[in-house]
């Protein structure tokens, strides 16, 4: 079984497309199709269910995926060790980030890492619609070694290095009826039209748990959006109010931000790794540098 065929399989599995996999690998689509056919013949199983609309993993393909990730990670680690001995650290940093909520500590660590290890490639991955849950899943299947995630405590199978803690506040326009108040209780705002992150996103989870603690089972969510800057724009357009990180208030002068008086939603931002998968030399060096950078102050996570 050739390593190149494993690389092709993984590219198709992650892209869910032979065409996009070929573009990513910079080869002809026919070469991708041939490599997959040969691999399927070697393994005696069909790995992908192909239709005119999309490509999906079969049961055999899903079984192979974590093993393929481990094989390629081992090969990459071996190459890194050999290369580092003669030329300095090389390889690839595979890090999940959080758009505008990635703390300054991580951004500073990236700059310091680049200065110390200029030969390492940086592959930074933003979450999909599932937010931090996407990153946690990628950590478990090995497609990411490190990820910045928003959590509310321990996560099974995941090791966390907490970087910062932030609270959630309510954003509204300066002319909103609530704008003149210093704070609100969750029970007072249930009838407001809310612009919220989708389920699974860390801020949304913190808010959902706070409402449950306040005895509120339902609220009026009129818009769901996974981009913080767009959420703030929608608040400006008076489409509703929104729960956002308190740290955003210091950067946004044209909106009002109200603290939650009781059952205050909070969350932690952490760098996460998979417990059952040893880190390669590149990831270990990044964690070392991130640990040496001054921690973000509480309430300053971005």
């Amino acid at each position: 079984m050739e390593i190149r065929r494993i690389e092709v399989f993984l590219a198709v599995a992650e892209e869910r497309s032979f065409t996009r996999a070929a573009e990513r690998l910079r080869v002809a689509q026919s070469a991708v199709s041939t490599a997959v056919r040969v691999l399927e013949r070697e393994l005696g199983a069909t790995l992908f269910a192909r239709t005119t609309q999309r490509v999906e993993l079969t049961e055999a393909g899903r079984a192979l995926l974590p093993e393929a990730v481990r094989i390629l990670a081992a090969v990459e680690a071996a190459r890194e060790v050999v290369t580092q001995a003669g030329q300095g650290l090389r390889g690839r940093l595979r890090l999940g980030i959080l758009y505008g909520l990635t703390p300054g500590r991580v951004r500073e660590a990236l700059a310091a890492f680049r200065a110390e290890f200029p030969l390492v490639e940086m592959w930074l991955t933003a979450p999909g619609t599932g937010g931090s849950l996407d990153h946690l899943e990628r950590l478990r299947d090995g497609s990411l070694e490190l990820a910045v995630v928003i959590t509310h405590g321990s996560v099974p199978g995941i090791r966390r290095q907490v970087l910062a803690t932030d609270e959630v506040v309510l954003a509204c326009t300066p002319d909103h009826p609530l704008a003149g108040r210093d704070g609100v209780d969750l029970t007072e705002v249930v009838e407001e039209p809310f612009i919220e992150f989708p389920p699974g996103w860390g801020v949304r989870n913190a808010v959902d748990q706070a409402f449950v603690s306040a005895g509120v089972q339902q609220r009026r969510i009129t818009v769901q959006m996974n981009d913080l800057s767009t959420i703030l724009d929608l608040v400006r357009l008076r489409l509703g109010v929104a729960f956002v990180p308190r740290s955003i208030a210091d950067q946004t002068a044209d909106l009002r931000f109200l603290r939650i008086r009781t059952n205050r939603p909070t969350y932690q931002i952490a760098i996460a790794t998979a417990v059952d998968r040893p880190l390669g030399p590149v990831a270990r060096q990044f964690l070392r540098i991130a640990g040496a950078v001054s921690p973000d102050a509480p309430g300053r996570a971005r």
Side-chain angles (χ1 to χ4, degrees):
M1 187 184 302
E2 292 185 3
I3 296 300
R4 182 58 174 173
R5 290 176 193 145
I6 297 295
E7 291 175 337
V8 171
F9 163 77
L10 191 58
V12 177
E14 291 178 348
E15 298 292 343
R16 294 295 195 269
S17 165
F18 281 74
T19 301
R20 291 195 296 272
E23 293 172 350
R24 169 172 153 182
L25 297 170
R26 298 181 180 179
V27 298
Q29 184 174 333
S30 59
V32 172
S33 299
T34 299
V36 170
R37 281 198 301 270
V38 172
L39 184 60
E40 289 177 326
R41 188 164 58 248
E42 289 177 342
L43 295 174
T46 300
L47 301 174
F48 295 102
R50 306 161 177 84
T51 70
T52 56
Q53 300 295 324
R54 58 192 304 169
V55 175
E56 295 291 345
L57 286 165
T58 63
E59 184 175 350
R62 289 192 293 271
L64 177 61
L65 181 59
E67 299 305 321
V69 171
R70 292 189 184 97
I71 290 170
L72 293 183
V75 171
E76 183 176 323
R79 288 172 178 162
E80 290 171 0
V81 169
V82 172
T83 304
Q84 183 178 1
Q87 303 177 26
L89 185 64
R90 289 177 181 262
R92 185 174 298 144
L93 174 65
R94 294 177 290 139
L95 173 68
I97 59 173
L98 288 176
Y99 295 108
L101 292 181
T102 299
R105 183 175 180 181
V106 174
R107 298 196 295 271
E108 292 170 14
L110 285 170
F113 184 85
R114 167 60 72 210
E116 186 170 345
F117 302 110
L119 301 180
V120 173
E121 298 177 13
M122 291 186 181
W123 284 26
L124 307 182
T125 302
T129 56
S132 289
L133 293 179
D134 287 349
H135 281 343
L136 294 174
E137 186 61 32
R138 291 187 179 111
L139 288 171
R140 293 188 180 102
D141 69 26
S143 54
L144 287 177
E145 282 191 284
L146 303 169
V148 181
V149 297
I150 291 178
T151 67
H152 306 278
S154 61
V155 180
I158 298 296
R159 182 182 296 107
R160 303 178 310 136
Q161 177 179 315
V162 176
L163 302 175
T165 300
D166 205 353
E167 69 176 274
V168 178
V169 295
L170 186 67
C172 65
T173 55
D175 59 354
H176 191 280
L178 295 173
R181 301 176 60 171
D182 293 329
V184 294
D185 291 325
L186 293 177
T187 54
E188 298 177 291
V189 296
V190 290
E191 296 303 322
E192 292 289 334
F194 288 108
I195 304 162
E196 301 241 12
F197 287 93
W201 285 67
V203 172
R204 172 67 180 271
N205 288 344
V207 172
D208 287 348
Q209 291 180 18
F211 269 109
V212 170
S213 297
V216 177
Q217 301 302 316
Q218 291 185 333
R219 60 188 184 275
R220 186 183 168 200
I221 300 174
T222 57
V223 180
Q224 289 191 154
M225 169 56 58
N226 62 2
D227 178 71
L228 179 58
S229 62
T230 303
I231 287 175
L232 294 175
D233 285 340
L234 295 177
V235 173
R236 293 183 180 100
L237 292 171
R238 297 175 175 78
L239 270 66
V241 297
F243 291 105
V244 300
R246 185 186 179 191
S247 53
I248 300 301
D250 297 332
Q251 310 167 41
T252 311
D254 62 331
L255 294 175
R256 285 280 292 133
F257 296 90
L258 311 178
R259 298 190 73 180
I260 309 304
R261 285 196 292 250
T262 57
N263 303 112
R264 184 173 297 157
T266 62
Y267 62 89
Q268 294 176 325
I269 298 181
I271 293 184
T273 62
V275 170
D276 63 350
R277 185 171 293 107
L279 295 177
V282 170
R284 289 199 303 271
Q285 291 292 350
F286 181 78
L287 274 186
R288 173 185 64 80
I289 291 174
V293 175
S294 297
D296 290 330
R300 297 294 299 173
R302 292 184 173 84

